[in-house]
Amino acid sequence: MNLTEYFKLSLDSLRINKLRSFLTLIGIIVGVGSVITVVVIAHSGQEGIIDAVTQDGKNVFYVYNSEPNGIYGSRAALKLTDIDLLKRKLNQEVLISGVNVGKVEVRIGKDLAYMDVQAVSAAYYHMTKNMDIMSGRFYSESEERSIIKGIVVNQVMAEKYFSNAENAVNKKILLNNIPFSIIGVYKEPTFLGMGGDSLTSYMSLALWNRLTDNTQGNITALQIKVINEDIDLHAFMDQTIATLAENHRVPKEQYMTQSVEQTEKIVESVFGFLKILIGSIAGISLFVGGVGVMNIMLVTVMERTREIGIRKAIGAKPLDILIQFLIEAFLLTFIGGVLGVLLGVGIAFLITRLLDWGFVMSWSIVGLSFIITTLIGLFFGIYPASKAANLNPIEALRYE
Amino acid sequence: MIHLENIAKSYVNGDIRVEALKNIHLHIEKGEFVAIMGPSGSGKSTLMNILGCLDVPSSGVFTIHQQRINDFSEVELAELRNQTIGFVFQTFHLLARLSVLKNVELPMLYRGVSPKERRKRAMELLGKVGLSDRLQHNPSQLSGGQKQRVAIARALANDPDIILADEPTGNLDTMTSMEIMDILSDLNKQGVTIILVTHEEEIATFASRVITVRDGNIIEDTKDALTSEGLS
Ligand SMILES: Nc1ncnc2c1ncn2[C@@H]1O[C@H](COP(=O)(O)OP(=O)(O)OP(=O)(O)O)[C@@H](O)[C@H]1O
Ligand SMILES: [Mg+2]
C-alpha cells in the first residue's frame, strides 16, 4: 500500500465526520490563526516603526546632556555656539541642528489653541527625509539669523484655520501674543497611520528662545547627520562627545548620544520580546489544540474498533493501521494549520489595511506554522494510532 | 494442508478460567468442505479463530501448508490472513462507510495490488455473486443475503486456498441461506477448501465432512467414521 492510498483512506474518514473534524480543529485554527495574525501585524508594524525612526537616515545621532541638573549642568548646557564649534572641530562633514521642543498658546483671529513647537536649525530641513513642504517654504539659514518672526505649521493647522495650505501662507498668528507670520505649511508623515490631528510647527531656535525667555540659550539636544555614510558612527559619536566635553570643561560622561541605529535595535528587541511572548501563548493554545486532536483520535479509534478488527482480519498489518490513523491525525492538524494560516493572514491583512500600514507578509512564520502543526499531529496522533494498531483482531471484531 | 495437534485454548478472566478448547486433533486436506457443529459455547468459534490465524492457541501445534503458525510474527499472520484465508462472518463485517466495490477491493489494497487491477478484479467477483448492479451502494442499502454475497466476494479477492465461514447463514432466511450455500458449494467444486460453522443440519448437508464439537473436544468426525467403517 502506498502513501497516496493511506491519504485517501484518511481523507475519506475525515470527510465523513466533517463537522466533528472541524470542531476539533478550532483549537488549532485559533492557535495558528492568532500567531499568524499577531506576527504578521507585528512584522508590518515593525517595518513601519523602523521606517519612522530611521526617517532621518542611519548616520544620524543625537547628543543630550545626561545630567542637566547635575553639578556640571549649567556649564555643560548645549548652546547654539556648540553647533559652530562642532562644525569646525569635527573631522567629518556634518549637518547639525539644535532641538528644543515645547508647547505654546496660539491665537488665530478669535480662536485660541495650543500648538506643539519644534525649535530647530534651518539645517534640519536638509537632515530629514520626511519634510514635505506643501506650500510656502522652510526658513533658510539667513532667515534664521534675521529677526523676521516666521513659523512653519502643519497641514492640520493650516486646514483647520485657513481652509487650505496655500491660504495659510503669509497669514498672521499670535504666539504668546507676539505676532508671527506663517511662512510655510508641511505635511506631517503619518506614524503607522495614527495621530495627525494635533497642531505642530517648526521655528528657529533663536525665535523660540526669545518666545520662552530662554535667555541662557540652552538647547536640549543636538541632532547630527554625518554626510559620509561609511564612517564608524560609534567612534564618531565618541569624538563628538569628547569635543563638547573639552570645550565645556566637563567630564565626557556629562553627554550621551543616541543613534538611530540604537533606536532601531531597541525597537527590534521589543518586537523580538513580543514575538516570544506571543509565541508562548500560541504554544499553549496549540498544545491544547493538540490534546483536542488526540482526544478526538482516541474517540475515533474506539468508534472504529470493529472497522479496525475487520481490516486486520482481512490482512491489514499493524503498520498499515498505524499509518492510517497517524495520517488522519496529521491531516486533521494540517488542515487546521492551513485554515489557521488563511484566517490569520486574512485578519492581519484587514487590520493592516484599516490602520493604513504596509502589509508585510512573514513567510517564515507560515512555514513554521506548518512544521509545528505537522509535528503536533504526529506527536498527538502517535498514541491513538498505536492503540489502534495494537488492537487484538478478535476483540476488535467482537466490539459492539 | 491444515493440521492441528493437541490444540488447547483457555481464557483467563480474573479467577475464572475457561477451557474453550481442550485437546483438538484435526487434519483437513485441500479441497475439503467441512462443517463444524455443536452446541452453543462448545468452542466452535474459538476453533475457527485459531484456524483463521486471528487467535493463537494456548498450546499445541498448528500448521498450514507445513508451516508452523505458532512461530509466525504478527506481520506474517496478517499476510497469511490476507492471501491464504478468506473470511465470511455471521454478521457480515463489511465496512459500512465504504461502497460495495471498495469493500471487495480492501484485501487487495493491503496486498499492494494496483488500483486499476483491484477494481477490475472486484467487479469481476461481484459479477460472479450477482451484484454487478450494486457496485456503488453502501452495505446498509443491501439485504442480508446481498451483504453476505459481498462478503464472499471480498473473501475471494486474493484467491485464497481456504474459506472460513462462521455461521454464514446465521442471520439469513432459508431461501437466502440456500443461495449462499450454493455459492460456497460452487467454490468448493473449484478447489477452495471450505470450513464452516453451522447449527443447522440442512446447511451441514452441503459439506462432505461434519465435525461435532462439545465442551472443547471433537466428539465426532464423519471422516473418521468413514475410515473406521471402511476398515471394519
Ligand atoms: N474472549 C473470551 N474470554 C473468555 N471466555 C471466552 C472468550 N471467548 C470465548 N469464550 C468462552 O469460550 C467458550 C467457547 O466459546 P465459542 O465462542 O467458541 O463458542 P461457540 O461454540 O462459537 O458458541 P456459539 O454457537 O454460541 O457461537 C465459551 O464458554 C465462551 O464463553
Ligand atoms: Mg460461535
Side-chain angles (χ1 to χ4, degrees):
Chain A
M1 215 166 131
N2 64 33
L3 218 54
T4 13
E5 312 244 35
Y6 287 114
F7 268 96
K8 272 195 216 147
L9 273 184
S10 308
L11 264 180
D12 279 345
S13 43
L14 290 182
R15 212 177 295 142
I16 286 157
N17 282 320
K18 267 192 230 87
L19 179 65
R20 192 170 82 184
S21 306
F22 179 74
L23 292 177
T24 306
L25 288 181
I26 286 179
I28 302 275
I29 295 174
V30 169
V32 172
S34 51
V35 182
I36 299 273
T37 306
V38 175
V39 170
V40 172
I41 288 176
H43 207 69
S44 306
Q46 186 179 356
E47 303 265 303
I49 290 169
I50 288 174
D51 258 8
V53 297
T54 58
Q55 63 177 311
D56 298 330
K58 288 209 170 183
N59 49 341
V60 170
F61 64 97
Y62 303 87
V63 183
Y64 304 89
N65 212 321
S66 56
E67 271 184 90
N69 304 316
I71 39 169
Y72 296 115
S74 56
R75 209 201 297 168
L78 295 164
K79 311 271 183 190
L80 278 175
T81 49
D82 284 316
I83 296 176
D84 297 324
L85 171 92
L86 288 175
K87 276 190 182 158
R88 255 186 296 119
K89 295 234 168 151
L90 293 175
N91 60 0
Q92 287 286 336
E93 198 188 335
V94 288
L95 288 172
I96 305 180
S97 168
V99 181
N100 274 344
V101 292
K103 234 178 170 57
V104 71
E105 185 191 281
V106 54
R107 197 178 280 279
I108 315 104
K110 289 191 287 283
D111 295 314
L112 188 68
Y114 284 89
M115 183 166 71
D116 290 322
V117 178
Q118 287 202 66
V120 294
S121 315
Y124 182 85
Y125 180 65
H126 305 285
M127 293 166 68
T128 178
K129 277 186 283 183
N130 288 356
M131 180 60 72
D132 180 9
I133 297 289
M134 302 170 70
S135 187
R137 61 183 196 282
F138 203 82
Y139 44 86
S140 65
E141 266 177 63
S142 55
E143 274 177 300
E144 186 180 28
R145 282 186 217 103
S146 77
I147 50 159
I148 299 160
K149 296 192 182 67
I151 185 165
V152 186
V153 301
N154 68 347
Q155 186 187 7
V156 178
M157 167 90 184
E159 286 175 355
K160 191 163 177 187
Y161 297 103
F162 305 100
S163 76
N164 62 47
E166 257 126 76
N167 232 352
V169 178
N170 294 327
K171 291 287 178 339
K172 294 271 182 293
I173 55 176
L174 294 173
L175 304 186
N176 291 351
N177 287 322
I178 299 167
F180 274 72
S181 105
I182 296 173
I183 59 166
V185 178
Y186 65 95
K187 186 180 183 141
E188 230 161 354
T190 50
F191 181 67
L192 298 175
M194 291 180 290
D197 58 352
S198 54
L199 310 179
T200 65
S201 62
Y202 288 100
M203 72 171 71
S204 72
L205 283 155
L207 283 174
W208 175 251
N209 288 345
R210 246 187 292 160
L211 194 65
T212 55
D213 290 328
N214 179 0
T215 46
Q216 310 275 323
N218 290 353
I219 296 172
T220 314
L222 295 176
Q223 181 176 339
I224 301 175
K225 179 185 177 108
V226 189
I227 302 298
N228 180 1
E229 297 202 1
D230 301 324
I231 56 144
D232 175 357
L233 193 65
H234 217 264
F236 189 74
M237 292 193 295
D238 277 348
Q239 192 201 339
T240 308
I241 288 181
T243 311
L244 286 170
E246 192 193 328
N247 189 50
H248 287 262
R249 287 170 293 116
V250 295
K252 271 172 68 178
E253 290 70 34
Q254 190 64 29
Y255 298 104
M256 58 180 202
T257 53
Q258 168 90 58
S259 73
V260 162
E261 231 163 316
Q262 285 164 336
T263 317
E264 195 182 351
K265 283 209 181 88
I266 292 168
V267 172
E268 269 167 11
S269 71
V270 167
F271 274 98
F273 172 73
L274 270 181
K275 281 181 189 168
I276 290 169
L277 191 75
I278 291 150
S280 25
I281 295 168
I284 293 167
S285 80
L286 286 177
F287 180 81
V288 173
V291 171
V293 167
M294 178 149 141
N295 181 46
I296 210 71
M297 287 310 295
L298 284 171
V299 171
T300 301
V301 168
M302 205 169 80
E303 278 177 350
R304 286 157 63 187
T305 299
R306 230 157 57 93
E307 174 193 325
I308 295 162
I310 295 168
R311 286 182 187 276
K312 286 194 141 190
I314 62 173
K317 298 175 188 112
L319 192 64
D320 290 322
I321 304 288
L322 183 92
I323 295 175
Q324 181 188 342
F325 283 91
L326 208 51
I327 287 183
E328 204 167 311
F330 157 73
L331 270 178
L332 201 59
T333 48
F334 187 78
I335 291 168
V338 171
L339 293 178
V341 166
L342 291 178
L343 182 81
V345 169
I347 292 177
F349 183 76
L350 282 181
I351 291 178
T352 50
R353 263 297 130 88
L354 281 176
L355 294 175
D356 207 21
W357 298 2
F359 175 78
V360 182
M361 190 59 198
S362 173
W363 291 109
S364 55
I365 192 70
V366 172
L368 193 68
S369 296
F370 285 136
I371 293 171
I372 287 176
T373 45
T374 302
L375 291 179
I376 287 174
L378 297 181
F379 179 79
F380 288 99
I382 193 88
Y383 174 67
S386 68
K387 222 177 139 160
N390 293 324
L391 280 176
N392 174 307
I394 304 203
E395 279 165 28
L397 279 174
R398 219 181 275 147
Y399 186 84
E400 303 283 326
Chain B
M1 171 170 74
I2 298 172
H3 190 75
L4 301 186
E5 221 175 285
N6 261 326
I7 290 291
K9 175 74 187 179
S10 52
Y11 295 104
V12 184
N13 263 342
D15 295 339
I16 310 159
R17 188 185 165 87
V18 180
E19 308 263 351
L21 293 176
K22 282 168 189 159
N23 186 17
I24 302 289
H25 287 272
L26 182 62
H27 187 83
I28 296 171
E29 281 301 335
K30 184 169 163 53
E32 281 196 81
F33 193 150
V34 183
I36 302 175
M37 300 195 71
S40 185
S42 55
K44 304 182 296 294
S45 294
T46 308
L47 179 58
M48 288 295 268
N49 289 339
I50 289 172
L51 289 173
C53 303
L54 289 165
D55 208 353
V56 288
S58 308
S59 63
V61 179
F62 171 30
T63 63
I64 297 180
H65 293 313
Q66 278 92 49
Q67 300 175 92
R68 266 180 68 105
I69 305 306
N70 307 63
D71 305 335
F72 270 35
S73 71
E74 211 169 324
V75 171
E76 288 170 316
L77 288 175
E79 277 170 355
L80 195 74
R81 289 197 295 266
N82 184 235
Q83 286 157 42
T84 310
I85 302 168
F87 292 94
V88 180
F89 301 95
Q90 179 178 359
T91 50
F92 320 121
H93 282 334
L94 299 174
L95 293 192
R97 307 185 304 173
L98 298 185
S99 69
V100 162
L101 193 65
K102 293 264 180 212
N103 263 287
V104 178
E105 283 186 30
L106 213 54
M108 295 183 270
L109 178 80
Y110 288 119
R111 207 184 85 203
V113 179
S114 76
K116 227 177 108 185
E117 215 174 306
R118 247 160 39 202
R119 211 180 157 77
K120 190 169 150 256
R121 169 93 176 137
M123 283 175 33
E124 184 186 306
L125 288 167
L126 283 164
K128 273 193 187 162
V129 296
L131 287 173
S132 291
D133 53 346
R134 295 284 191 281
L135 301 181
Q136 298 306 332
H137 283 58
N138 262 24
S140 60
Q141 297 165 309
L142 301 180
S143 72
Q146 288 170 329
K147 281 183 200 169
Q148 202 58 301
R149 281 189 271 162
V150 175
I152 291 172
R154 182 181 66 185
L156 293 172
N158 285 334
D159 212 359
D161 298 334
I162 309 158
I163 285 198
L164 296 175
D166 194 346
E167 299 191 47
T169 60
N171 281 5
L172 304 175
D173 62 36
T174 319
M175 261 287 286
T176 327
S177 297
M178 290 307 138
E179 283 170 28
I180 296 298
M181 289 314 297
D182 284 338
I183 296 173
L184 291 179
S185 283
D186 278 351
L187 287 171
N188 180 243
K189 286 193 188 100
Q190 288 158 32
V192 182
T193 309
I194 295 185
I195 306 171
L196 72 80
V197 170
T198 185
H199 282 286
E200 297 161 73
E201 290 291 346
E202 216 179 343
I203 300 294
T205 55
F206 283 84
S208 52
R209 176 180 175 188
V210 178
I211 292 168
T212 311
V213 181
R214 173 166 291 165
D215 292 335
N217 288 306
I218 295 180
I219 56 160
E220 199 189 334
D221 187 339
T222 54
K223 196 179 189 182
D224 294 341
L226 278 176
T227 38
S228 44
E229 265 170 36
L231 282 177
S232 61

